[in-house]
Amino acid sequence: MLKYILRRILTIPLLLLGVASVAFMLSQMTKGDPLAALVPERMMSDPAVVAAIKAQWGLDEPLPVRYVYYMGNLLRGDMGTSFTTRRPVSTDIAERLPATLELVVAAMIVGTVVGMGIGLVSARFRNTAIDGAGRGFALLGSSVPIFWSGLILLYIFSVRLKWTPGTGRLDARTQPPEGITGFYTIDAALAADWPVFVQALSHLLLPALVLGWSVTGIVARLVRSSLLESLGQDYIRTARAKGAPEHRVLLGHALPNALIPVLTVLGFTFAYLITGAVLTEAIFSWPGIGSYAVSSARSLDYPAIGGVTIVGATAFLLANLVTDLAYAWANPRIKLQ
Amino acid sequence: MTAPLLEVTGLTTTFGTGGKRASAVRGLDFTLEPGKVLGIVGESGSGKSVAMMSMLQLLAPSAKVTGSAIYKGRDLITMGPRDIRKIRGKEIGCIFQDPLSAFNPVKTIGHQIVEAILLHDSKISKRAATEHATSLLADVAIPQPGERLGQYPHEFSGGMRQRAMIAMALANGPNLLIADEPTTALDVTVQAQILDLLRKLTEERGIATILITHDLGVVAGMADEIMVMYAGRVVERGSAEAIFYDTRHPYTRGLIAAMPKLDGPGEILRAIEGTPPSIWTRPPGCSFAPRCSFAIEACRTTEPGLRRVGETETACMRAEELDKGMPA
């Protein structure tokens, strides 16, 4: 088992090099000019300045040479300097990734807990009004666009009711807590700084609910259908024939089998949200990877695009590994080797 | 005559929604005395499993069950969910056809047997339940029972799985065992072992058994009484001996003729032509008439009831004419 995990982890850097190559090629092939971000507009007409800046950023070299430089730097752990922020891409990412992770983890918790709850209740009371309400809520979650639900909730709870604070991770004047995780809630709790903890949590609440609602939709519908399939199996009849009460049949026998397909989707969704929570981040001014990805793509900031791609790919590879491990844990018929 | 353990009267099960309903079991009557073995024989779809599942309220909510099944003075059909749960697995144990799908694939065999014990005994410790489970596996002749408890169903062979299923059904010392096609999914060589084991355990413990099968050979050596079911009704019943040697019903004859004979010269197996009617398109009159080579006009209009003819009770209006020796 340990050998299997090690082998999988060792293949990750190789895969990432491939992903980085593809990302490099694709972004170079994209129409557009990164110079717009690099050269101040009024100096665009001065060829000498443009040439100097091109040389400074290495954009005057032919593509293959730039590719070799880029990959060489990557191998040394250097993702380059962002054209727009003028800072190392790794610094940008290190600053923004925890924000996204905190948001996505919170959303996954909301989505998994609520989604499983709805799925269970829907399956237990299938084809009743309760089931209909649960399925309706789930369907809304996966079909209402986040830019709409986010804005509406923000308007209701922050602007009208003033129950939740505005956008961002903390109030404007609050100093972010020091800490190693970069999750403001956890860092504040570790430092026993409770006012900041409460503030960070209240800032996190609304974006996590909005993003979590969309996850809820996916999870609830999958749990429901997967449970109903399990409930039709012979071992369910056996459990009932043993005298097991219905809640035990559902939680003890149907659910463990129904969770197997759910695990795959959870892993995939988590990885997807690392770079895919753009809308939520934009609406709640959340300084995460998603908004970084959009701004770097807009200005053809090659190093930043490469960095975001690597982060996204890593998320997928790790999530896949964790999913496979969870799969083997949930399903004893699978042996990893 | 001792008091019956189970007395079933007019058991009828219908499926369907709204106005469109069809009956899978139509007016089943029988009694079972303690320690006796009743064989229920019939093709797939004859209603034999549905009848047993109806008694334990194990069918989907779309099934409607009427009639009564008095077990130890209480009607199983009208019992509330809490009461029927106390009967299931405690008073009445069940063995199902395919032990691979009947065990939960993601739980160990031990977990599932221990669960069966704990469900009906809140006072027993988990450790004692595990010990009990180990001894149960030993009773059904599974080698290294202690280790086997920690294994998953897919790590058992088919025969071993069915042994474990028997152990689980016997876990709480039931008075009645319902074995629904217990050997159908198994190799022929394993079938005989499982039947021997079932017979031995039920005899030793004085457990009454309802053995459901489509294979007359399975009930031949085990059943005290045999009921032959066709299209939701009993078409013939009698002692095992009477059914085999004095059958009056063309369907039973067909079943007997369809059994491969291992002694004697090889011959072509005789099958009953056609297939049983679907519960939605059952013909008027005797349900077997379309497949029966003895059917006369009256058979297609009037459905005959059970009546005693010779050694058996039979539901065939030409039973008297179909004396022994007449070809099926």
Side-chain angles (χ1 to χ4, degrees):
Chain A
M1 188 60 147
L2 206 66
K3 235 171 110 186
Y4 173 83
I5 298 173
L6 267 177
R7 209 175 54 223
R8 285 283 298 266
I9 289 178
L10 287 178
T11 58
I12 288 180
L14 289 176
L15 290 164
L16 285 181
L17 284 182
V19 168
S21 301
V22 173
F24 181 86
M25 294 303 170
L26 282 177
S27 56
Q28 302 288 341
M29 278 157 58
T30 309
K31 281 214 171 83
D33 194 355
L35 286 175
L38 291 171
V39 186
E41 207 177 329
R42 61 196 151 76
M43 294 183 184
M44 273 297 211
S45 49
D46 188 339
V49 173
V50 171
I53 290 177
K54 265 187 154 177
Q56 184 199 339
W57 290 89
L59 290 170
D60 55 344
E61 303 278 0
L63 191 65
V65 176
R66 274 154 54 195
Y67 175 70
V68 172
Y69 274 137
Y70 180 65
M71 294 313 275
N73 285 340
L74 264 191
L75 283 175
R76 287 195 298 273
D78 178 4
M79 292 198 273
T81 304
S82 162
F83 295 168
T84 38
T85 65
R86 309 289 159 101
R87 300 195 309 169
V89 169
S90 49
T91 311
D92 282 347
I93 288 176
E95 200 176 276
R96 287 166 166 272
L97 187 58
T100 293
L101 278 176
E102 185 174 35
L103 172 64
V104 171
V105 167
M108 288 300 291
I109 292 173
V110 170
T112 310
V113 171
V114 179
M116 293 240 297
I118 292 179
L120 271 165
V121 171
S122 275
R124 174 71 181 84
F125 302 102
R126 61 185 163 280
N127 301 330
T128 65
I130 302 173
D131 181 21
R135 292 167 75 184
F137 182 80
L139 185 67
L140 279 181
S142 47
S143 51
V144 167
I146 281 176
F147 58 77
W148 190 82
S149 59
L151 284 176
I152 295 293
L153 289 182
L154 201 57
Y155 176 73
I156 296 175
F157 291 106
S158 291
V159 179
R160 282 270 137 170
L161 299 170
K162 303 208 186 302
W163 288 358
T164 54
T167 57
R169 296 182 77 186
L170 291 170
D171 293 347
R173 262 165 285 171
T174 308
Q175 189 71 20
E178 301 254 328
I180 38 162
T181 66
F183 286 32
Y184 286 179
T185 47
I186 294 180
D187 285 342
L190 287 177
D193 189 349
W194 302 114
V196 171
F197 172 78
V198 170
Q199 196 186 106
L201 196 63
S202 62
H203 273 266
L204 180 60
L205 188 68
L206 220 44
L209 284 179
V210 167
L211 191 57
W213 192 13
S214 66
V215 179
T216 299
I218 304 167
V219 174
R221 290 196 297 169
L222 190 63
V223 167
R224 179 183 183 272
S225 65
S226 187
L227 266 176
L228 288 182
E229 198 194 312
S230 291
L231 283 171
Q233 300 293 318
D234 282 357
Y235 55 79
I236 295 299
R237 184 183 56 183
T238 309
R240 292 194 177 121
K242 286 198 291 198
E246 209 51 28
H247 67 88
R248 206 188 156 89
V249 169
L250 193 67
L251 299 176
H253 288 276
L255 188 61
N257 283 280
L259 280 185
I260 296 170
V262 176
L263 288 173
T264 319
V265 171
L266 284 181
F268 179 85
T269 307
F270 182 84
Y272 167 75
L273 287 181
I274 295 297
T275 53
V278 185
L279 290 171
T280 316
E281 291 181 3
I283 286 164
F284 291 94
S285 308
W286 200 263
I289 287 289
S291 46
Y292 187 65
V294 171
S295 69
S296 58
R298 198 175 285 148
S299 53
L300 264 190
D301 187 345
Y302 300 143
I305 293 172
V308 168
T309 310
I310 289 171
V311 168
T314 311
F316 265 99
L317 292 171
L318 287 178
N320 264 342
L321 174 60
V322 172
T323 303
D324 285 349
L325 294 177
Y327 226 84
W329 165 78
N331 189 347
R333 286 164 292 183
I334 291 176
K335 287 259 181 300
L336 300 174
Q337 43 193 284
Chain B
M1 189 178 147
T2 42
L5 181 69
L6 176 68
E7 191 167 7
V8 174
T9 318
L11 184 71
T12 298
T13 307
T14 60
F15 287 103
T17 45
K20 203 166 182 250
R21 298 196 73 86
S23 42
V25 181
R26 300 180 291 155
L28 192 64
D29 302 312
F30 69 89
T31 56
L32 183 61
E33 284 166 38
K36 296 283 186 194
V37 179
L38 170 67
I40 304 183
V41 184
E43 281 166 285
S44 310
S46 58
K48 48 200 196 309
S49 299
V50 172
M52 296 306 113
M53 295 307 111
S54 303
M55 288 194 323
L56 288 172
Q57 301 187 19
L58 284 175
L59 294 173
S62 66
K64 219 176 246 149
V65 182
T66 54
S68 68
I70 310 292
Y71 175 85
K72 288 188 172 172
R74 294 164 71 203
D75 189 357
L76 299 174
I77 308 292
T78 55
M79 212 174 250
R82 202 175 289 267
D83 290 326
I84 193 78
R85 278 207 301 274
K86 285 184 190 141
I87 301 275
R88 294 176 188 160
K90 168 80 181 146
E91 292 285 336
I92 303 178
C94 283
I95 300 169
F96 297 107
Q97 176 167 345
D98 180 359
L100 182 57
S101 59
F103 272 117
N104 192 329
V106 305
K107 305 269 175 190
T108 62
I109 294 283
H111 178 102
Q112 300 186 53
I113 298 180
V114 167
E115 183 192 20
I117 298 167
L118 294 175
L119 276 169
H120 294 286
D121 189 345
S122 49
K123 286 185 210 90
I124 193 170
S125 70
K126 203 156 179 192
R127 198 191 160 127
T130 308
E131 270 166 31
H132 184 194
T134 314
S135 74
L136 283 165
L137 286 194
D139 288 349
V140 295
I142 290 180
Q144 285 140 355
E147 280 165 48
R148 287 298 210 157
L149 278 185
Q151 292 184 340
Y152 290 94
H154 70 275
E155 295 172 291
F156 276 57
S157 69
M160 285 298 153
R161 267 196 295 268
Q162 196 59 295
R163 284 170 192 268
M165 182 57 75
I166 294 172
M168 190 160 84
L170 297 180
N172 296 301
N175 290 306
L176 173 59
L177 187 68
I178 296 176
D180 188 354
E181 303 265 9
T183 57
T184 306
L186 303 177
D187 286 346
V188 184
T189 46
V190 181
Q191 285 186 6
Q193 296 170 11
I194 295 293
L195 284 175
D196 280 345
L197 179 72
L198 258 183
R199 180 167 37 211
K200 182 178 145 258
L201 290 172
T202 49
E203 260 172 29
E204 275 174 12
R205 297 163 197 220
I207 302 172
T209 307
I210 297 177
L211 182 60
I212 303 172
T213 177
H214 64 272
D215 182 355
L216 265 174
V218 166
V219 289
M222 243 185 110
D224 299 301
E225 202 191 338
I226 294 176
M227 292 201 309
V228 180
M229 282 186 77
Y230 189 81
R233 300 189 73 183
V234 175
V235 293
E236 189 164 31
R237 78 156 140 237
S239 68
E241 223 182 62
I243 291 290
F244 275 94
Y245 299 108
D246 278 314
T247 171
R248 297 289 176 141
H249 199 285
Y251 179 60
T252 317
R253 288 192 173 206
L255 287 180
I256 294 173
M259 283 168 64
K261 292 171 189 65
L262 295 180
D263 46 359
E267 53 181 316
I268 293 170
L269 269 184
R270 296 178 56 179
I272 305 175
E273 296 285 323
T275 50
S278 135
I279 61 173
W280 299 101
T281 57
R282 203 170 275 143
C286 172
S287 304
F288 187 60
R291 299 170 75 187
C292 179
S293 44
F294 301 100
I296 53 175
E297 208 39 51
C299 296
R300 300 183 206 282
T301 52
T302 326
E303 186 156 37
L306 272 181
R307 62 202 170 91
R308 175 157 289 278
V309 181
E311 295 295 307
T312 69
E313 279 180 87
T314 185
C316 174
M317 51 182 84
R318 301 188 67 193
E320 282 83 358
E321 306 164 56
L322 295 171
D323 212 343
K324 335 175 187 180
M326 207 162 149

